[in-house]
Short mmCIF file of all heavy atoms in Angstrom, two decimals:
data_model
loop_
_atom_site.label_atom_id
_atom_site.label_comp_id
_atom_site.label_asym_id
_atom_site.label_seq_id
_atom_site.Cartn_x
_atom_site.Cartn_y
_atom_site.Cartn_z
N ILE W 114 17.71 21.83 -1.26
CA ILE W 114 17.43 20.51 -0.76
C ILE W 114 16.35 20.58 0.37
O ILE W 114 15.44 19.81 0.41
CB ILE W 114 18.71 19.86 -0.24
CG1 ILE W 114 19.55 19.38 -1.40
CG2 ILE W 114 18.41 18.69 0.70
CD1 ILE W 114 20.98 18.89 -1.02
N PHE W 115 16.46 21.58 1.25
CA PHE W 115 15.50 21.72 2.32
C PHE W 115 14.15 22.20 1.84
O PHE W 115 13.14 22.00 2.50
CB PHE W 115 16.06 22.63 3.42
CG PHE W 115 16.87 21.92 4.47
CD1 PHE W 115 18.22 21.74 4.27
CD2 PHE W 115 16.25 21.36 5.54
CE1 PHE W 115 18.93 21.02 5.21
CE2 PHE W 115 17.00 20.63 6.52
CZ PHE W 115 18.38 20.47 6.35
N LEU W 116 14.12 22.85 0.71
CA LEU W 116 12.82 23.28 0.15
C LEU W 116 12.17 22.14 -0.69
O LEU W 116 11.01 22.30 -1.10
CB LEU W 116 13.02 24.48 -0.81
CG LEU W 116 13.32 25.82 -0.08
CD1 LEU W 116 13.70 26.90 -1.09
CD2 LEU W 116 12.10 26.27 0.77
N PHE W 117 12.90 21.08 -0.92
CA PHE W 117 12.42 20.07 -1.81
C PHE W 117 11.15 19.36 -1.28
O PHE W 117 10.26 19.03 -2.08
CB PHE W 117 13.48 18.98 -2.07
CG PHE W 117 13.11 17.99 -3.10
CD1 PHE W 117 13.00 18.31 -4.45
CD2 PHE W 117 12.78 16.67 -2.73
CE1 PHE W 117 12.62 17.38 -5.39
CE2 PHE W 117 12.41 15.75 -3.66
CZ PHE W 117 12.30 16.10 -5.02
N HIS W 118 11.08 19.10 -0.02
CA HIS W 118 9.93 18.36 0.56
C HIS W 118 8.61 19.05 0.26
O HIS W 118 7.69 18.42 -0.34
CB HIS W 118 10.10 18.11 2.03
CG HIS W 118 8.96 17.37 2.70
ND1 HIS W 118 9.07 16.05 3.07
CD2 HIS W 118 7.73 17.77 3.01
CE1 HIS W 118 7.90 15.63 3.61
NE2 HIS W 118 7.07 16.70 3.56
N PRO W 119 8.44 20.31 0.66
CA PRO W 119 7.12 20.95 0.35
C PRO W 119 6.85 21.07 -1.18
O PRO W 119 5.70 20.93 -1.58
CB PRO W 119 7.25 22.34 1.03
CG PRO W 119 8.69 22.57 1.24
CD PRO W 119 9.29 21.23 1.45
N VAL W 120 7.92 21.32 -1.92
CA VAL W 120 7.70 21.42 -3.39
C VAL W 120 7.29 20.04 -3.96
O VAL W 120 6.35 19.93 -4.76
CB VAL W 120 9.00 21.93 -4.05
CG1 VAL W 120 8.81 21.81 -5.63
CG2 VAL W 120 9.30 23.34 -3.66
N ALA W 121 7.98 19.00 -3.52
CA ALA W 121 7.68 17.64 -3.98
C ALA W 121 6.28 17.24 -3.66
O ALA W 121 5.55 16.73 -4.44
CB ALA W 121 8.70 16.69 -3.38
N GLU W 122 5.81 17.52 -2.43
CA GLU W 122 4.49 17.10 -1.99
C GLU W 122 3.44 17.95 -2.72
O GLU W 122 2.33 17.49 -3.01
CB GLU W 122 4.33 17.26 -0.46
CG GLU W 122 5.08 16.17 0.27
CD GLU W 122 4.53 15.93 1.67
OE1 GLU W 122 3.95 16.85 2.25
OE2 GLU W 122 4.62 14.76 2.13
N SER W 123 3.76 19.21 -3.08
CA SER W 123 2.80 20.02 -3.84
C SER W 123 2.64 19.46 -5.23
O SER W 123 1.54 19.65 -5.82
CB SER W 123 3.29 21.45 -3.94
OG SER W 123 4.40 21.62 -4.77
N PHE W 124 3.57 18.73 -5.74
CA PHE W 124 3.46 18.03 -6.99
C PHE W 124 2.84 16.63 -6.85
O PHE W 124 2.64 15.91 -7.87
CB PHE W 124 4.81 17.93 -7.67
CG PHE W 124 5.23 19.14 -8.45
CD1 PHE W 124 5.73 20.26 -7.73
CD2 PHE W 124 5.17 19.17 -9.82
CE1 PHE W 124 6.15 21.40 -8.42
CE2 PHE W 124 5.56 20.34 -10.49
CZ PHE W 124 6.04 21.43 -9.79
N GLY W 125 2.54 16.23 -5.65
CA GLY W 125 1.92 14.90 -5.39
C GLY W 125 2.91 13.79 -5.13
O GLY W 125 2.53 12.59 -5.23
N MET W 126 4.17 14.10 -4.77
CA MET W 126 5.15 13.06 -4.54
C MET W 126 5.03 12.49 -3.15
O MET W 126 4.76 13.23 -2.15
CB MET W 126 6.55 13.61 -4.71
CG MET W 126 7.66 12.55 -4.72
SD MET W 126 9.31 13.30 -4.80
CE MET W 126 9.18 14.17 -6.42
N SER W 127 5.14 11.19 -2.97
CA SER W 127 5.19 10.55 -1.66
C SER W 127 6.56 10.71 -1.04
O SER W 127 7.57 10.63 -1.72
CB SER W 127 4.85 9.06 -1.80
OG SER W 127 3.58 8.86 -2.38
N THR W 128 6.61 10.97 0.26
CA THR W 128 7.88 11.18 0.95
C THR W 128 7.99 10.27 2.16
O THR W 128 8.86 9.35 2.14
CB THR W 128 8.06 12.62 1.37
OG1 THR W 128 6.87 13.02 2.13
CG2 THR W 128 8.18 13.56 0.16
N TRP W 129 7.15 10.46 3.18
CA TRP W 129 7.29 9.70 4.37
C TRP W 129 6.55 8.35 4.30
O TRP W 129 6.74 7.49 5.17
CB TRP W 129 6.66 10.48 5.55
CG TRP W 129 5.23 10.99 5.24
CD1 TRP W 129 4.94 12.20 4.69
CD2 TRP W 129 4.01 10.30 5.45
NE1 TRP W 129 3.59 12.32 4.54
CE2 TRP W 129 3.02 11.21 5.03
CE3 TRP W 129 3.67 9.05 5.98
CZ2 TRP W 129 1.62 10.81 5.04
CZ3 TRP W 129 2.35 8.69 6.06
CH2 TRP W 129 1.34 9.58 5.59
N GLN W 130 5.81 8.09 3.27
CA GLN W 130 4.95 6.97 3.20
C GLN W 130 5.69 5.66 3.03
O GLN W 130 6.77 5.62 2.42
CB GLN W 130 3.93 7.10 2.03
CG GLN W 130 2.94 8.23 2.21
CD GLN W 130 3.39 9.57 1.75
OE1 GLN W 130 4.60 9.78 1.56
NE2 GLN W 130 2.48 10.49 1.59
N VAL W 131 5.16 4.60 3.57
CA VAL W 131 5.59 3.24 3.31
C VAL W 131 4.40 2.36 3.04
O VAL W 131 3.27 2.74 3.41
CB VAL W 131 6.33 2.67 4.59
CG1 VAL W 131 7.63 3.33 4.78
CG2 VAL W 131 5.50 2.85 5.83
N PRO W 132 4.56 1.25 2.32
CA PRO W 132 5.81 0.68 1.78
C PRO W 132 6.33 1.43 0.54
O PRO W 132 5.61 2.29 0.00
CB PRO W 132 5.42 -0.75 1.47
CG PRO W 132 3.97 -0.66 1.13
CD PRO W 132 3.38 0.37 2.01
N PHE W 133 7.49 1.04 0.08
CA PHE W 133 8.06 1.67 -1.09
C PHE W 133 7.49 1.04 -2.36
O PHE W 133 6.97 -0.10 -2.33
CB PHE W 133 9.59 1.48 -1.05
CG PHE W 133 10.27 2.08 0.09
CD1 PHE W 133 11.39 1.48 0.69
CD2 PHE W 133 9.86 3.29 0.63
CE1 PHE W 133 11.98 2.05 1.75
CE2 PHE W 133 10.50 3.87 1.71
CZ PHE W 133 11.59 3.26 2.27
N PRO W 134 7.68 1.74 -3.47
CA PRO W 134 7.23 1.13 -4.73
C PRO W 134 8.10 -0.01 -5.17
O PRO W 134 9.27 -0.15 -4.67
CB PRO W 134 7.33 2.32 -5.74
CG PRO W 134 8.34 3.25 -5.12
CD PRO W 134 8.13 3.10 -3.66
N THR W 135 7.61 -0.88 -6.02
CA THR W 135 8.37 -2.00 -6.49
C THR W 135 9.43 -1.60 -7.51
O THR W 135 9.35 -0.52 -8.11
CB THR W 135 7.47 -3.08 -7.11
OG1 THR W 135 6.87 -2.47 -8.29
CG2 THR W 135 6.38 -3.48 -6.15
N TRP W 136 10.45 -2.47 -7.79
CA TRP W 136 11.43 -2.18 -8.79
C TRP W 136 10.78 -2.06 -10.19
O TRP W 136 11.23 -1.31 -11.00
CB TRP W 136 12.51 -3.31 -8.75
CG TRP W 136 13.45 -3.20 -7.71
CD1 TRP W 136 13.51 -3.98 -6.58
CD2 TRP W 136 14.45 -2.20 -7.53
NE1 TRP W 136 14.52 -3.52 -5.74
CE2 TRP W 136 15.11 -2.44 -6.32
CE3 TRP W 136 14.90 -1.13 -8.30
CZ2 TRP W 136 16.21 -1.69 -5.84
CZ3 TRP W 136 15.94 -0.33 -7.89
CH2 TRP W 136 16.55 -0.63 -6.68
N GLN W 137 9.73 -2.83 -10.41
CA GLN W 137 9.00 -2.75 -11.71
C GLN W 137 8.45 -1.32 -11.93
O GLN W 137 8.35 -0.86 -13.02
CB GLN W 137 7.91 -3.79 -11.78
CG GLN W 137 8.37 -5.20 -11.82
CD GLN W 137 8.65 -5.82 -10.49
OE1 GLN W 137 8.79 -5.12 -9.49
NE2 GLN W 137 8.79 -7.13 -10.47
N THR W 138 8.08 -0.66 -10.85
CA THR W 138 7.60 0.69 -10.93
C THR W 138 8.75 1.71 -11.08
O THR W 138 8.67 2.67 -11.88
CB THR W 138 6.78 1.05 -9.71
OG1 THR W 138 5.65 0.18 -9.59
CG2 THR W 138 6.27 2.47 -9.76
N MET W 139 9.85 1.44 -10.36
CA MET W 139 10.91 2.43 -10.28
C MET W 139 11.82 2.47 -11.56
O MET W 139 12.23 3.55 -11.98
CB MET W 139 11.78 2.19 -9.05
CG MET W 139 11.12 2.49 -7.77
SD MET W 139 12.25 2.53 -6.36
CE MET W 139 12.63 0.80 -6.15
N ILE W 140 12.07 1.33 -12.16
CA ILE W 140 13.03 1.28 -13.26
C ILE W 140 12.55 2.14 -14.47
O ILE W 140 13.36 2.94 -15.00
CB ILE W 140 13.27 -0.18 -13.67
CG1 ILE W 140 14.13 -0.88 -12.66
CG2 ILE W 140 13.98 -0.25 -15.07
CD1 ILE W 140 14.32 -2.34 -12.85
N PRO W 141 11.31 2.10 -14.93
CA PRO W 141 10.90 3.01 -15.99
C PRO W 141 11.00 4.50 -15.61
O PRO W 141 11.35 5.37 -16.41
CB PRO W 141 9.42 2.64 -16.29
CG PRO W 141 9.35 1.24 -15.77
CD PRO W 141 10.22 1.16 -14.59
N GLN W 142 10.75 4.82 -14.33
CA GLN W 142 10.86 6.19 -13.92
C GLN W 142 12.34 6.65 -13.93
O GLN W 142 12.61 7.74 -14.40
CB GLN W 142 10.36 6.29 -12.45
CG GLN W 142 8.84 6.02 -12.31
CD GLN W 142 8.38 5.92 -10.89
OE1 GLN W 142 9.20 5.70 -9.94
NE2 GLN W 142 7.09 5.98 -10.67
N LEU W 143 13.25 5.79 -13.47
CA LEU W 143 14.63 6.16 -13.52
C LEU W 143 15.13 6.30 -14.96
O LEU W 143 15.90 7.24 -15.22
CB LEU W 143 15.49 5.05 -12.80
CG LEU W 143 15.28 4.89 -11.30
CD1 LEU W 143 15.89 3.62 -10.77
CD2 LEU W 143 15.79 6.13 -10.58
N ALA W 144 14.62 5.49 -15.86
CA ALA W 144 14.98 5.62 -17.27
C ALA W 144 14.55 6.96 -17.82
O ALA W 144 15.33 7.60 -18.57
CB ALA W 144 14.41 4.46 -18.08
N PHE W 145 13.35 7.36 -17.46
CA PHE W 145 12.85 8.66 -17.89
C PHE W 145 13.71 9.85 -17.34
O PHE W 145 14.06 10.77 -18.03
CB PHE W 145 11.43 8.88 -17.48
CG PHE W 145 10.89 10.27 -17.75
CD1 PHE W 145 10.61 10.73 -19.02
CD2 PHE W 145 10.74 11.16 -16.65
CE1 PHE W 145 10.19 12.04 -19.23
CE2 PHE W 145 10.30 12.43 -16.89
CZ PHE W 145 10.04 12.91 -18.16
N PHE W 146 14.10 9.73 -16.06
CA PHE W 146 14.92 10.76 -15.47
C PHE W 146 16.26 10.90 -16.18
O PHE W 146 16.73 12.02 -16.41
CB PHE W 146 15.13 10.49 -13.99
CG PHE W 146 13.87 10.34 -13.15
CD1 PHE W 146 13.85 9.68 -11.98
CD2 PHE W 146 12.66 10.92 -13.60
CE1 PHE W 146 12.70 9.54 -11.21
CE2 PHE W 146 11.51 10.80 -12.86
CZ PHE W 146 11.53 10.11 -11.68
N PHE W 147 16.85 9.78 -16.48
CA PHE W 147 18.15 9.80 -17.23
C PHE W 147 17.96 10.45 -18.58
O PHE W 147 18.83 11.32 -18.97
CB PHE W 147 18.68 8.41 -17.42
CG PHE W 147 19.68 7.97 -16.33
CD1 PHE W 147 19.32 7.02 -15.38
CD2 PHE W 147 20.94 8.54 -16.30
CE1 PHE W 147 20.22 6.65 -14.41
CE2 PHE W 147 21.86 8.16 -15.31
CZ PHE W 147 21.52 7.21 -14.36
N PHE W 148 16.94 10.09 -19.28
CA PHE W 148 16.69 10.65 -20.61
C PHE W 148 16.45 12.18 -20.58
O PHE W 148 17.02 12.95 -21.32
CB PHE W 148 15.54 9.98 -21.34
CG PHE W 148 15.16 10.59 -22.65
CD1 PHE W 148 15.88 10.23 -23.80
CD2 PHE W 148 14.15 11.52 -22.72
CE1 PHE W 148 15.53 10.80 -25.01
CE2 PHE W 148 13.87 12.10 -23.97
CZ PHE W 148 14.51 11.73 -25.09
N PHE W 149 15.57 12.56 -19.59
CA PHE W 149 15.22 13.98 -19.55
C PHE W 149 16.43 14.84 -19.14
O PHE W 149 16.67 15.90 -19.74
CB PHE W 149 14.09 14.16 -18.51
CG PHE W 149 13.66 15.56 -18.37
CD1 PHE W 149 12.70 16.14 -19.22
CD2 PHE W 149 14.20 16.42 -17.39
CE1 PHE W 149 12.31 17.47 -19.10
CE2 PHE W 149 13.83 17.75 -17.28
CZ PHE W 149 12.91 18.29 -18.12
N GLU W 150 17.17 14.36 -18.11
CA GLU W 150 18.32 15.15 -17.66
C GLU W 150 19.36 15.29 -18.70
O GLU W 150 19.95 16.35 -18.91
CB GLU W 150 18.88 14.52 -16.44
CG GLU W 150 19.93 15.38 -15.70
CD GLU W 150 21.29 15.39 -16.31
OE1 GLU W 150 21.67 14.35 -16.98
OE2 GLU W 150 22.04 16.39 -16.18
N ASP W 151 19.61 14.23 -19.46
CA ASP W 151 20.60 14.25 -20.50
C ASP W 151 20.23 15.27 -21.61
O ASP W 151 21.07 16.02 -22.09
CB ASP W 151 20.79 12.85 -21.11
CG ASP W 151 21.92 12.79 -22.09
OD1 ASP W 151 23.09 12.90 -21.68
OD2 ASP W 151 21.63 12.64 -23.30
N MET W 152 18.96 15.28 -21.98
CA MET W 152 18.49 16.20 -22.98
C MET W 152 18.58 17.62 -22.46
O MET W 152 19.08 18.56 -23.20
CB MET W 152 17.04 15.89 -23.37
CG MET W 152 16.43 16.82 -24.33
SD MET W 152 14.65 16.50 -24.67
CE MET W 152 13.93 16.81 -23.08
N PHE W 153 18.10 17.86 -21.24
CA PHE W 153 18.18 19.22 -20.65
C PHE W 153 19.57 19.71 -20.54
O PHE W 153 19.87 20.86 -20.85
CB PHE W 153 17.49 19.15 -19.28
CG PHE W 153 17.32 20.52 -18.63
CD1 PHE W 153 16.17 21.22 -18.72
CD2 PHE W 153 18.36 21.07 -17.88
CE1 PHE W 153 16.08 22.51 -18.16
CE2 PHE W 153 18.27 22.30 -17.29
CZ PHE W 153 17.12 23.02 -17.37
N HIS W 154 20.44 18.84 -20.08
CA HIS W 154 21.86 19.21 -19.92
C HIS W 154 22.53 19.53 -21.25
O HIS W 154 23.28 20.50 -21.35
CB HIS W 154 22.60 18.07 -19.18
CG HIS W 154 23.99 18.42 -18.77
ND1 HIS W 154 24.32 18.67 -17.46
CD2 HIS W 154 25.14 18.60 -19.49
CE1 HIS W 154 25.62 18.97 -17.41
NE2 HIS W 154 26.11 18.93 -18.59
#
Side-chain angles (χ1 to χ4, degrees):
I114 285 171
F115 271 89
L116 287 172
F117 184 73
H118 180 104
V120 173
E122 289 204 330
S123 71
F124 277 77
M126 189 183 301
S127 300
T128 53
W129 51 269
Q130 294 86 344
V131 289
F133 299 144
T135 64
W136 284 107
Q137 290 85 344
T138 299
M139 289 193 287
I140 288 174
Q142 294 170 343
L143 293 170
F145 170 74
F146 302 158
F147 265 108
F148 175 82
F149 180 87
E150 191 282 331
D151 185 70
M152 177 183 66
F153 185 95
H154 190 105

